[in-house]
Amino acid sequence: MRFLTAGESHGQKLVGIIEGLPSGMKVSKEIVDHALKKRQQGPGRGGRMAIEQDQVNIISGVRGGLTTGAPLALEILNRDWENWERIMTWEADADLESRKVMTPRPGHADLTGALKYRTEVRNILERASARETAMRVAIGNILRQSLTDLGVEIRGRVTAVGGVHAKLAEDHEYWQRVQQSEWSVGDPDAERRMGELLQESREQGESLGGLLEVQVLHLPAGLGSHVQWDRKLDGRLAQAILSVQAIKGVSFGIGFDAGEKMGSLVHDSIEYSPGQGFCRSSNRAGGIEGGMSNGETIVLQAVMKPIPTLYKPLNTVHLETKEIVKASVERSDVCAVPAALVVLEHVVAWVIAEAVLEKFPADSFSELETAWQAYKEYLKL
Ligand code: EPS
């Protein structure tokens, strides 16, 4: 299974193709659109999100609500295109001058991309933009829907924004608060302080990053493999997470604390109960050992840097004059941590679905479901 996306931030549309899906997977456009809407929200979003109303068009590969096994093609239109058509058109008479960027923004792909591709900065930033993540959410959501049908749940929460840390809990009420929170935070007090910090950042022309956590529940042991570097589930999840714009680090379970503690305080004892199979007494490993899911909840954390477009810009060098000047200011978000959480949940869904299909290769969802159930029975040993 594989996918590709294409599309510029201010181009006509984003497109995506998924290939290698089994037939018979249920696909709901409403569920995809709900995820797309959630990705657009959050208190720190800028002016662009008032223009867009992301919705997916399913072009091929689904009939009567079920995948057919053929490549699935998707598109999401950019409503902002009508303001950018003369600038972004492929036609030879495109207006290449009026939105030319000569002062690359530190922290973005602008400068290195322009040097590498020997092209102007706009050609780089249009594709480097996090706009592209809308399509990755749509693609991940198609797979997430089938994971839900198999009983796998993926959920996420924002655990800190700009140094304000939320109190964490695992109970149902807490997770309901996360669901209802515009920050995806389960601690109302932290949420209030995040709001205040956002206001301060906006006034100061600053931006804010944060910490995020994604969990995958009800996954059987044995997805991924220890035998080769590129089959390890934690390595594959890490790659997917780090591919999301502005994400700079990822860890699993107790994460970097593992380097600070004795082994007995890091590893999880193995337990067994008849009819239930093996489990762990704790989950410090975050659900992955030896590059394989171990049957516990997968728990991973990620760090998002503050968005590098600053309304109070840092210094840069003018590409022509080579003078030190202020970096260009493009319209941007002040904080997109809650939006990034939606993206992380969906890139995780893709990797997990890929690992499921490797363990249970199937041309139809019913074959997959049969093999999945049989394996889960076997694990009860
Ligand atoms: C982005 C800049 C802003 C964000 C954009 C990512 O867009 P614009 O330049 O049009 O104001 O809103 O995010 C999205 C469009 C999106 O859908 O998430 C950037 O430079 O990465």
Side-chain angles (χ1 to χ4, degrees):
M1 192 170 65
R2 56 191 167 151
F3 76 86
L4 275 179
T5 73
E8 281 80 32
S9 181
H10 303 101
Q12 279 183 61
K13 58 179 80 166
L14 301 168
V15 300
I17 295 183
I18 316 174
E19 207 252 347
L21 290 176
S23 69
M25 288 168 48
K26 276 195 238 145
V27 174
S28 153
K29 170 181 155 53
E30 285 66 37
I31 296 176
V32 179
D33 287 345
H34 183 262
L36 291 175
K37 187 165 182 199
K38 193 158 183 218
R39 193 201 69 92
Q40 286 198 263
Q41 293 168 344
R45 297 290 249 159
R48 176 72 183 275
M49 289 303 108
I51 299 174
E52 302 301 338
Q53 285 174 20
D54 292 341
Q55 296 208 337
V56 72
N57 290 332
I58 300 171
I59 298 165
S60 73
V62 182
R63 226 179 126 226
L66 296 175
T67 57
T68 62
L72 198 151
L74 304 171
E75 66 173 16
I76 299 168
L77 302 184
N78 287 327
R79 286 164 62 110
D80 210 11
W81 163 247
E82 65 180 53
N83 303 316
W84 286 81
E85 189 170 350
R86 285 314 314 144
I87 294 154
M88 293 301 295
T89 178
W90 62 270
E91 291 172 89
D93 65 348
D95 169 9
L96 300 180
E97 289 306 314
S98 62
R99 297 303 300 263
K100 202 171 189 168
V101 175
M102 296 302 287
T103 49
R105 297 160 301 164
H108 272 285
D110 296 3
L111 177 61
T112 311
L115 293 172
K116 173 178 165 68
Y117 286 91
R118 298 190 186 208
T119 187
E120 66 150 304
V121 170
R122 176 146 306 279
N123 292 343
I124 303 304
L125 72 82
E126 285 289 338
R127 182 62 187 159
S129 161
R131 177 77 189 137
E132 172 260 339
T133 61
M135 183 49 76
R136 282 202 274 170
V137 167
I139 288 171
N141 193 268
I142 302 279
L143 278 307
R144 185 179 186 167
Q145 291 185 34
S146 287
L147 287 173
T148 304
D149 290 341
L150 292 174
V152 177
E153 186 192 343
I154 298 174
R155 66 186 183 186
R157 58 186 171 190
V158 169
T159 60
V161 170
V164 175
H165 288 258
K167 284 202 201 90
L168 301 182
E170 297 300 335
D171 56 278
H172 181 66
E173 230 174 83
Y174 183 94
W175 279 99
Q176 267 188 331
R177 278 204 300 274
V178 171
Q179 281 297 316
Q180 287 152 9
S181 154
E182 56 175 4
W183 283 100
S184 296
V185 161
D187 169 0
D189 183 48
E191 210 179 9
R192 183 184 47 73
R193 284 183 289 133
M194 287 170 188
E196 289 163 7
L197 187 60
L198 177 70
Q199 191 50 32
E200 260 172 58
S201 308
R202 193 174 271 129
E203 283 161 14
Q204 292 171 17
E206 283 287 357
S207 59
L208 289 172
L211 303 174
L212 313 93
E213 182 176 294
V214 178
Q215 301 186 353
V216 186
L217 292 86
H218 316 307
L219 208 57
L223 300 183
S225 176
H226 63 292
V227 303
Q228 201 64 260
W229 68 274
D230 58 353
R231 294 176 61 187
K232 295 182 188 234
L233 191 61
D234 39 6
R236 290 163 60 178
L237 285 166
Q239 201 280 327
I241 295 283
L242 289 172
S243 76
V244 175
Q245 286 81 344
I247 301 294
K248 301 316 288 179
V250 59
S251 62
F252 294 85
I254 63 168
F256 283 53
D257 280 353
E260 314 279 336
K261 296 188 158 122
M262 299 280 193
S264 61
L265 298 176
V266 169
H267 300 292
D268 307 299
S269 306
I270 297 176
E271 295 182 341
Y272 175 77
S273 47
Q276 304 269 320
F278 297 98
C279 68
R280 303 294 185 281
S281 59
S282 50
N283 188 21
R284 297 161 181 152
I288 302 180
E289 290 166 303
M292 291 172 281
S293 60
N294 66 7
E296 303 297 325
T297 297
I298 291 183
V299 182
L300 63 85
Q301 304 84 21
V303 53
M304 181 182 197
K305 69 180 180 180
I307 285 172
T309 298
L310 298 175
Y311 283 92
K312 191 183 70 189
L314 293 176
N315 284 352
T316 187
V317 174
H318 191 282
L319 292 178
E320 217 161 69
T321 65
K322 308 291 191 291
E323 275 168 343
I324 297 214
V325 288
K326 292 291 173 200
S328 85
V329 180
E330 296 275 316
R331 178 184 57 189
S332 187
D333 306 317
V334 178
C335 175
V337 177
L341 182 67
V342 179
V343 180
L344 294 193
E345 288 174 19
H346 286 89
V347 300
V348 164
W350 174 269
V351 174
I352 296 296
E354 221 181 12
V356 167
L357 277 167
E358 279 166 15
K359 177 92 181 78
F360 309 103
D363 293 319
S364 69
F365 189 71
S366 60
E367 283 171 291
L368 167 59
E369 227 175 354
T370 306
W372 169 267
Q373 294 303 352
Y375 181 69
K376 286 184 70 164
E377 274 306 305
Y378 150 75
L379 285 179
K380 291 182 183 163
L381 295 174

